[in-house]
Amino acid sequence: MAASSYAMQSILANPMIRISSGSRVNQFGVPALHMRRNVGLRVRSMAEEEQPSEPATPVTPPPSVEPKPQPVSAPSPKVSTKFSDVLAFSGPAPERINGRLAMIGFVAAMAVEVAKGQGVLEQISNGGIPWFLGTSVVLTLASLIPLFQGVSVESKSKGFMSSDAELWNGRFAMLGLIALAFTEYVKGSTLV
């Protein structure tokens, strides 16, 4: 009992601990105390009660002005430029290129459908194949050239326009393009 009251007194008397009473109440109806320490936690265990306690050493507060951390530039991971690695099933190119094509294809399909009233399958049969092939070649080359030079997509990824966001947008565009074509096929007419 004496050890617990000593511990409580030392906690309450320590100037490095802030105690604030919030509006929370514990299960006994007593306002809960929120304690936050500004120093690291130090745990000591005493196996026997006969051991003398160590005298409390005063803790000096940390300096109020902290030095600014210097940005550490992590070395970029090695990116393979081998053709078989870049175009492997789990490589950086296939899903990214397909996603980019799907994003452009979905927006173009919806724009033509709204402007001309043609469905996706009708757009493809009315001269859409050359546009699809041309766009595919240009986007594939534009995507592969940096990868073969060893530039990773993650190294160019910043903030809102991250590589993960591009992958997810591409996945949703692929699903959207398939859903658009399927819906128009089942419905028998254009979506809009």
Side-chain angles (χ1 to χ4, degrees):
M1 180 72 173
S4 64
S5 71
Y6 171 75
M8 191 59 156
Q9 288 174 0
S10 67
I11 289 174
L12 294 174
N14 191 342
M16 295 302 295
I17 297 175
R18 289 180 286 172
I19 300 177
S20 63
S21 176
S23 61
R24 295 185 182 172
V25 176
N26 66 9
Q27 68 265 21
F28 303 112
V30 178
L33 296 176
H34 303 285
M35 295 183 279
R36 285 184 253 155
R37 285 187 175 236
N38 292 334
V39 296
L41 178 65
R42 191 169 151 193
V43 178
R44 286 186 279 177
S45 173
M46 298 179 77
E48 300 175 10
E49 288 204 22
E50 292 93 39
Q51 291 180 347
S53 63
E54 294 179 20
T57 58
V59 178
T60 59
S64 61
V65 178
E66 296 180 14
K68 294 181 181 178
Q70 297 294 328
V72 178
S73 60
S76 59
K78 290 268 186 175
V79 178
S80 176
T81 57
K82 287 176 33 181
F83 186 80
S84 60
D85 290 339
V86 170
L87 291 176
F89 184 75
S90 63
E95 184 178 10
R96 197 162 305 276
I97 292 170
N98 288 330
R100 289 173 181 172
L101 287 171
M103 287 186 273
I104 289 177
F106 182 76
V107 170
M110 289 303 293
V112 171
E113 187 169 319
V114 168
K116 294 184 178 180
Q118 295 178 343
V120 175
L121 301 175
E122 189 178 353
Q123 291 174 33
I124 292 171
S125 63
N126 288 341
I129 301 282
W131 281 103
F132 170 74
L133 292 176
T135 305
S136 298
V137 168
V138 169
L139 272 178
T140 301
L141 288 175
S143 299
L144 287 177
I145 289 172
L147 292 174
F148 284 129
Q149 291 175 346
V151 178
S152 70
V153 178
E154 289 78 17
S155 69
K156 300 294 182 183
S157 172
K158 292 180 184 153
F160 183 69
M161 302 295 259
S162 69
S163 63
D164 288 336
E166 182 188 21
L167 279 178
W168 279 105
N169 288 333
R171 290 169 183 163
F172 287 130
M174 288 184 249
L175 289 173
L177 200 53
I178 296 296
L180 179 65
F182 182 73
T183 304
E184 289 176 356
Y185 175 76
V186 169
K187 188 176 172 183
S189 65
T190 60
L191 183 66
V192 180

